[in-house]
Amino acid sequence: MASLDQLRQLDPTGGSGFLARVLGTYVRSLERHQAEALQARQAGQWDAFARTAHTLKSASASVGALTFSQICADIEGRIRRQETDQLEPLLDRFFQEAALVHGAVQAQLGAPAAAGGSGPSSVDGPAAS
């Protein structure tokens, strides 16, 4: 919630739609990077997955998706250290949390969540914090 509150302070009246633009940009980026991550996983291209995780790590933290940001950091670190033999469960968590975050951001935007992305989580809630 603190991250979203900081973003809201940049447009206190909400008149410019700043928060909606930031979240809209984030969700489009998340969708694109999820697809890239899936392709990288299927091809075993760990460097590409690490780059995607790195990008999502910072962006997710900035919108309050702290759990997802930490998962991205863990994946990036393991890949950089070439610790890929036990990576699969963490990759599963990546995609599960990405779906929760996607649904939470869509809820913040007031739009219906995509199939598989809905749930009780919110960007500032326990599953995505």
Side-chain angles (χ1 to χ4, degrees):
M1 190 58 139
S3 297
L4 293 179
D5 286 342
Q6 287 177 344
L7 291 172
R8 282 186 190 100
Q9 289 175 8
L10 297 173
D11 180 21
T13 65
S16 72
F18 178 72
L19 182 60
R21 286 196 319 269
V22 168
L23 292 178
T25 299
Y26 172 77
V27 81
R28 287 187 300 277
S29 174
L30 176 62
E31 290 166 352
R32 184 178 68 252
H33 289 304
Q34 276 182 276
E36 291 171 1
L38 183 59
Q39 288 178 340
R41 181 184 194 180
Q42 291 170 341
Q45 295 174 335
W46 301 125
D47 287 340
F49 203 111
R51 284 190 301 275
T52 296
H54 176 80
T55 300
L56 287 172
K57 174 181 65 177
S58 299
S60 298
S62 71
V63 298
L66 302 180
T67 297
F68 186 56
S69 177
Q70 185 58 54
I71 291 168
C72 290
D74 291 347
I75 289 171
E76 180 186 16
R78 287 185 189 195
I79 291 171
R80 298 280 183 232
R81 293 186 305 272
Q82 299 181 343
E83 298 171 358
T84 57
D85 56 327
Q86 300 293 319
L87 198 55
E88 287 302 315
L90 192 54
L91 298 180
D92 291 340
R93 283 193 63 213
F94 171 92
F95 289 104
Q96 291 165 354
E97 192 67 21
L100 290 173
V101 169
H102 187 273
V105 171
Q106 291 289 67
Q108 287 287 324
L109 290 170
S118 62
S121 175
S122 68
V123 173
D124 55 320
S129 60

